[in-house]
């Protein structure tokens, strides 16, 4: 009964901003790497941003300088602040939680249902 629930998507004009949230439950949130992925129509799902449990981050080149991923371990929530939005950012955005146990090789991987972001004038 692990749950990841995204919110905050919607319609925004080019140059505008949105903040996505992903609320989790029934996981030890601080143990997981959290990521935001997106999938546009007819395209493969791609990694947008990732934040490790130690706080370090990385981003795909197309969003560097515009998007910021953050996490609040006390609230079991990860965020994606999106600024200077472009039409190319239009996609369904998905939240992911991932952990691998090095000793055993067992992977834990969970996904949210997605939230639509549309950038259009």
């Amino acid at each position: 009964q692990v749950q990841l629930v995204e919110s905050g998507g919607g319609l925004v004009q080019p140059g505008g901003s949105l903040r996505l949230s992903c609320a989790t439950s029934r996981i030890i949130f601080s143990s997981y790497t959290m990521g935001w992925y997106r999938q546009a129509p007819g395209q493969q799902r791609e990694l947008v941003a990732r934040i490790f449990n130690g706080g370090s981050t990385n981003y795909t080149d197309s969003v560097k300088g515009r998007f910021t991923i953050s996490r609040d371990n006390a609230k079991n929530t990860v965020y994606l602040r999106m600024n200077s939005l472009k039409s190319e950012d239009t996609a369904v955005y998905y939240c992911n939680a991932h952990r691998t146990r090095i000793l055993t090789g067992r992977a834990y991987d969970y996904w949210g249902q997605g939230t639509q972001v549309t950038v259009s004038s």
Side-chain angles (χ1 to χ4, degrees), residues 9-41:
L11 176 64
V12 64
Q13 292 186 339
S17 298
L18 285 174
R19 188 196 194 196
L20 306 183
S21 298
C22 173
T24 72
S25 62
R26 299 180 180 89
I27 64 170
I28 307 300
F29 180 80
S30 61
S31 298
Y32 283 78
T33 295
M34 301 298 301
W36 286 97
Y37 293 72
R38 68 186 180 187
Q39 187 168 25

Side-chain angles (χ1 to χ4, degrees), residues 37-88:
Y37 293 72
R38 68 186 180 187
Q39 187 168 25
Q43 299 184 359
Q44 295 185 190
R45 185 174 298 187
E46 66 170 342
L47 175 67
V48 177
R50 183 166 54 196
I51 183 166
F52 297 91
N53 54 12
S56 61
T57 61
N58 54 40
Y59 301 87
T60 192
D61 286 343
S62 63
V63 309
K64 287 181 179 177
R66 300 189 298 120
F67 290 11
T68 303
I69 188 170
S70 61
R71 65 192 295 162
D72 187 336
N73 288 351
K75 297 181 179 179
N76 297 332
T77 300
V78 63
Y79 306 93
L80 185 68
R81 170 63 68 181
M82 304 184 294
N83 295 325
S84 302
L85 283 161
K86 306 174 181 179
S87 60
E88 304 96 281

Side-chain angles (χ1 to χ4, degrees), residues 93-112:
Y93 284 71
Y94 297 90
C95 180
N96 170 260
H98 177 81
R99 182 178 67 156
T100 300
R101 297 294 302 273
I102 296 176
L103 182 62
T104 65
R106 183 177 180 182
Y108 300 82
D109 213 6
Y110 304 101
W111 293 90

